[in-house]
Amino acid sequence: MKEFLVISGKGGTGKTSITAGFAALAGDIVLADCDVDAANLHMLLEPVTYHTEEFIGSRKATIDPTHCSNCRLCQESCRFNAITSTEIACTVNPLSCEGCGVCSFVCPKGAITMHDHVSGHWFLSDTRYGPLVHARLGIAEENSGKLVAKVREQAQRIAQEKDVEYILVDGPPGTGCPVISSISGVDLALIVTEPTIAGLHDLERVRQLAGHFDVPVMVCINKYDLDEAYTRKIELYCQKQQIELAGRIPFDRNVVSALVRGIPAVAYAAPSTSENSAAKAIGDVWQAVRNRLLA
Amino acid sequence: MLITIASGKGGTGKTTVAVNLALTLKELLPVVLLDCDVEEPNVHLFLQPVVNESEKVMTTVPKIDGNKCDGCGKCSEFCAFNAIAIVKGKPITFPELCHSCRGCTLVCPTGAITETPRQIGLVEKGTWSVIKTAKGTLKIGSPLAPMVVDAVRNTAPLHHGDQAVIIDASPGTSCAVVAAAKDTDFCLLVTEPTPFGLNDLTLAVELAKKLGLPHGVVINRAGLGDHSVYDYCHEADIPILMEIPFDTKYAACYARGGRLVEEFPDLSDRFLKLWDVIQHHAKRHQREEPKT
Ligand code: SF4
Ligand code: SF4
């Protein structure tokens, strides 16, 4: 079983459209959408969800005002400024509370309890390309890293049970905790970038992160023809860093048209499929990635 | 006036809007531009400020004195973030998971734990022309983005009065976005007219509502995609404050790190109007729900 991650550093590079393309081309796979903050992959796969489960991502403190003597020890001890005191008692702002439990430990009256907090949901679904594990973190919640770990764990379980060869992971943007949780231990990461100054900048950051976790990477340049000079710059950067290029994908309005119809670009038969279509290029990139995975 | 530029999804043009709004306003009033997208700060690619002050963002992590530790495991039991594990009767720490709550230090019965500083990010203050800037960068691999965001916000003067303080937030709806958007006067949500854009916009709207912030939408790459974002805004009664049409000229300008309003002066009228309507909406909100 091999885990293959598609990641982008910067958002909006077209990562999810490309991942959905791979899903359609790969055959025997399990899909995991680890962009738990803003999951989009399911929108191209028409999933039928057969299991939904609550995700207990953290704890929150609550203060019983009838036991609180208003000594404000909790307020002084909370490193996250989550406690405010009123005339009568202290209260916790759940948006700021990280659930560390320090207030509950220091409270001399035992007025503070910690309780489990549902911070999102995860789902098991079937799609026409294979099983999909996806999730949704609640608004303004944290601990997305833990939810990502849950999604990957479920995907691995399904892959093992069904004896499936590949897990295809759609990763979150950025370089924060959900990305770390997505990247650690995968067999290969494909970084999708675009030929812009921001694209190159974020590519560098996400590559460093992959290096940190010893994960081999490949790069693919999406919408490469929007600025070919910049595309060459990125290719040069990859050469210097000895990163293998998986290919270039042209800007193609059909990708958006497919998206509007809720299907992957590679499954969308455009009226005038030209040689230089994104669908074809996505297929080539998938071949390159597959060869590397098999090597 | 303190406004946040946010978007449920990355790559919608949040930074473009923040930078060009700042450029448009700079002749009219004092402008402060804060890059709070600390995982991928990108403002400096479009405005190259002269950095005149930089400050490390520090936090503390536990240091365990092996001579005093008797291996009771209370610290590991207490830690809500699995940052301490007991391996063969001895605690080992994982500083990258630590949220610096100080709980382990407090619970340790033998006083074996002290706190030691650890850098989680950097804040750089600078100026570009008359615009004051600050940029936060989270150390790669650190989970404490909100703390770095707070540090960036703390560089702005408390009483902003007649200044425009513009905050470029991280994409998404995570705790880092909350840190960037909370207690601001207006939240501008940048999206694109595609099903992905719509899905992520609805999440961003939920966030703005949860924080009680007046909000409005900017549609970038208008003309690409479909009508669903417009329909949604109409039904949900969310004002569309500006559109930036899809144009490969604009895309090319952005790609190079160019500044739209300088290369296409007709766009600055749109940004001026945007500022007017933001102020209008923010003031109306203040009248209706005065801050306590
Ligand atoms: S649990 Fe921790 S973060 Fe939450 S209120 Fe108590 S001390 Fe603050
Ligand atoms: S300071 Fe808090 S988060 Fe850090 S190791 Fe100690 S108990 Fe865990």
Side-chain angles (χ1 to χ4, degrees), chain A residues 10-79:
Chain A
K10 185 180 177 311
T13 56
K15 171 180 60 70
T16 299
S17 289
I18 294 171
T19 310
F22 293 166
L25 297 166
D28 199 19
I29 50 160
V30 174
L31 296 155
D33 190 349
C34 287
D35 190 357
V36 297
D37 254 322
N40 281 150
L41 185 61
H42 65 279
M43 296 173 70
L44 298 177
L45 303 174
E46 289 186 90
V48 179
T49 300
Y50 62 85
H51 183 83
T52 300
E53 204 164 307
E54 281 182 347
F55 167 66
I56 311 281
S58 62
R59 301 176 306 165
K60 299 274 174 194
T62 32
I63 302 179
D64 179 350
T66 59
H67 285 93
C68 172
S69 67
N70 217 4
C71 71
R72 299 179 187 184
L73 215 57
C74 54
Q75 190 179 17
E76 280 160 35
S77 313
C78 176
R79 284 259 166 112

Side-chain angles (χ1 to χ4, degrees), chain A residues 139-140, chain B residues 6 173 177-178 181 186-189 201-216 285:
Chain A
I139 303 293
Chain B
T173 54
V177 186
V178 173
F186 195 84
C187 189
L188 194 61
L189 308 172
L201 174 63
T202 56
L203 302 177
V205 166
E206 264 185 69
L207 177 84
K209 284 192 177 148
K210 194 159 184 165
L211 295 177
L213 300 176
H215 51 280
H285 182 85

Side-chain angles (χ1 to χ4, degrees), chain B residues 263-278:
Chain B
E263 288 182 38
F264 309 97
D266 48 313
L267 280 178
S268 52
D269 288 343
R270 288 188 195 231
F271 279 96
L272 267 182
K273 244 183 86 196
L274 172 67
W275 179 245
D276 283 343
V277 281
I278 288 174

Side-chain angles (χ1 to χ4, degrees), chain A residues 3 9-10 33 77 80 117 129 143 156 166 180 198 202 220:
Chain A
E3 269 183 292
K10 185 180 177 311
D33 190 349
S77 313
F80 309 99
H117 175 72
Y129 305 119
N143 247 328
Q156 286 161 3
Y166 296 114
I180 292 166
D202 295 348
C220 118

Side-chain angles (χ1 to χ4, degrees), chain A residues 9-12 39-40 43 79-80 98 100 136 139-140 142 174-176 180 196-197 201-202 205 208-209 253 259, chain B residues 10-11 39-42 60 99-100 102 115 138 140-141 173 175 178 195-196 199-200 203 206-207 224 254-255:
Chain A
K10 185 180 177 311
N40 281 150
M43 296 173 70
R79 284 259 166 112
F80 309 99
E98 303 230 355
C100 66
R136 179 169 164 190
I139 303 293
E142 51 196 314
T175 51
I180 292 166
T196 66
I197 186 169
H201 178 256
D202 295 348
R205 274 182 67 85
Q208 276 180 43
L209 184 75
R253 277 175 184 266
L259 168 56
Chain B
E39 283 180 37
E40 307 286 354
N42 277 344
T60 57
H99 286 223
S100 308
R102 205 167 57 111
E115 292 183 281
L138 181 70
I140 287 179
T173 54
C175 38
V178 173
F196 285 174
N199 185 53
D200 300 338
L203 302 177
E206 264 185 69
L207 177 84
L224 205 67
Y254 166 83

Side-chain angles (χ1 to χ4, degrees), chain B residues 148-169:
Chain B
V148 180
V149 171
D150 286 343
V152 180
R153 283 192 57 177
N154 285 339
T155 63
L158 258 183
H159 300 287
H160 21 87
D162 64 338
Q163 308 186 57
V165 181
I166 300 169
I167 297 176
D168 189 7

Side-chain angles (χ1 to χ4, degrees), chain A residues 60-61 74 77-80 82-83 92 96-104 112 114:
Chain A
K60 299 274 174 194
C74 54
S77 313
C78 176
R79 284 259 166 112
F80 309 99
I83 298 180
V92 177
S96 302
C97 175
E98 303 230 355
C100 66
V102 164
C103 53
S104 162
I112 308 182
M114 304 301 300

